[in-house]
Amino acid sequence: MMQTYPLLQSQMGVFLDTIKYPKVMQYNLPSYAFLGEDMDADRLERTIRTIFEKRRELHLAFMIDDEGNPCQYFNPDMRFKVERKKMTEKECMDYIHNGFVRPFDIFGNEALFRSEIIETEKGYYVLFDMYHLACDGMSYTPNFTAVDFPKAWNGEDLGDMSYGMVEAAIAEQASFGTKQYQKAKQIYAEKFAGMDFATLSRDVANPVGKMIRERAFLPIAQVDSWCKENGIAVNLLFQAAFSYAVSVILREDKIAYHTVNHGRIDKRLRNAYGMYVCSVPILSSIEPGMTVRDYIMSFRRELISTIRNMVYPFNHLCTDLGMTPGLSFNFQAIQGWDETLHVGEKAFQGAQPDRGDVFSDLCAFIFLYKDQYEIRMESSDALNSRKTMRMVADAIKNALLNMMENIDGQLTKISILSEEEENEILQLSVGKKLEYDTSETFPELFIKQAEKTPD
């Protein structure tokens, strides 16, 4: 008889969304890299197949049991093939952005992991796509790209992982209803009473639209040097800049949004494949007289609180408090967590292709990109416009730079505009100079106008 297992709550939202929007590619995790001409394609294919065969989470399949509950199981007959293709460079780029990423059938017999090797006149490309039900960002990078790939390429043993997603799901189920769970539930009920998650999106009946992106960049050296000098963690600075920018845009001193935790607090999961990343709620509060430093450090307490209360899942919170997820912030600018693919001794810069239709609200991601921090905004174009996304990306950047200029100054005096934008607005406000008799009073002017136009 087939052995089935419950889903992690981090998987549950993805599962239900997939049922609701089966053709949408919001939860695909695609990537590609150009490997050049000097590449052994056969060895490359063997490397990919070795990783698939060794990592059991890549063999997970999903079903709904007789009682109507979602569950997962290991499918020993899972189909997986590394496709090999030849194309022109132009055809390849068009395929990467408009053909490779496609929906996964979560109830089918095909692996929730795809890979293709494409040869063009310039050299070889390798393409990957993992589905979020079976993998998360940390499964792909660094575990897949920086650990397993170079080992498999060199013929090294990848080792077995006996504790993974199904074991974590069983342990999670056992935690529901415990004293710790009930305590966390009460803490969140009091903390977010009467609130909903912040959003800038349009109110639409159908959120599905084309994924759009906008970006802003900051020099890594400038930000890191300042953070080291002031004893501030980089992730807290970016989170504070995001939170403050959104608060100013919405004109709200308190806003709620969600961020993510990698979900691998249990050290047995650090190198495991699977969907462990979980959303956690954040409350941003601008208090009277608060300094920039105070505000930044408040997010350290917020993040510690989310770790302490992780036993109470995000989707339980949304259901219990009637809250609808909106804006999100994700800091992924961690060394070793970039999109670089390590093939033997060589490293190749990875990139994310377009994903097609999604239904996500505005998401802010912080990535490493060469020598810069990338502020990447993503959303469904049914919910947010490029103009809005560009504005938010620039507001985060400006807020961060202005915070760095006045770390111990009053928070509410921090601008989310650049100096050039402020000057433009000041010029708009100057208006046309008019000459008039300043000795005349308003009643006198009113009487004159009444006599001039008595009707």
Side-chain angles (χ1 to χ4, degrees), residues 338-369:
D338 59 11
E339 296 164 341
T340 302
L341 180 67
H342 298 265
V343 184
E345 300 301 319
K346 295 181 179 180
F348 300 92
Q349 180 66 52
Q352 292 186 12
D354 297 335
R355 274 189 280 166
D357 287 346
V358 298
F359 53 87
S360 65
D361 203 335
L362 195 61
C363 304
F365 296 92
I366 310 301
F367 289 110
L368 295 175
Y369 183 78

Side-chain angles (χ1 to χ4, degrees), residues 82-146:
V82 180
E83 299 285 347
R84 302 272 290 267
K85 298 175 179 177
K86 279 191 176 184
M87 300 179 182
T88 66
E89 185 72 14
K90 184 177 183 301
E91 289 171 338
C92 177
M93 295 312 298
D94 181 66
Y95 175 70
I96 286 173
H97 292 289
N98 300 296
F100 172 65
V101 185
R102 55 195 185 275
F104 284 96
D105 178 6
I106 65 171
F107 299 121
N109 205 36
E110 181 187 6
L112 301 182
F113 170 47
R114 296 189 184 114
S115 182
E116 296 184 15
I117 300 170
I118 300 177
E119 182 182 1
T120 75
E121 67 270 19
K122 288 188 176 182
Y124 289 95
Y125 288 83
V126 63
L127 286 59
F128 304 108
D129 195 3
M130 297 181 176
Y131 199 60
H132 220 346
L133 262 179
C135 293
D136 56 18
M138 195 170 173
S139 298
Y140 179 71
T141 174
N143 289 331
F144 178 82
T145 58

Side-chain angles (χ1 to χ4, degrees), residues 42-53:
D42 292 336
R43 186 176 179 183
L44 183 64
E45 179 182 341
R46 288 196 302 272
T47 297
I48 298 166
R49 288 196 59 82
T50 296
I51 297 172
F52 173 77
E53 290 162 4

Side-chain angles (χ1 to χ4, degrees), residues 413-432:
K413 292 185 178 180
I414 296 297
S415 175
I416 63 170
L417 302 175
S418 66
E419 186 176 346
E420 292 77 15
E421 288 170 329
E422 287 187 344
N423 288 333
E424 286 180 14
I425 291 173
L426 288 173
Q427 287 302 313
L428 285 172
S429 70
V430 170
K432 182 180 179 181

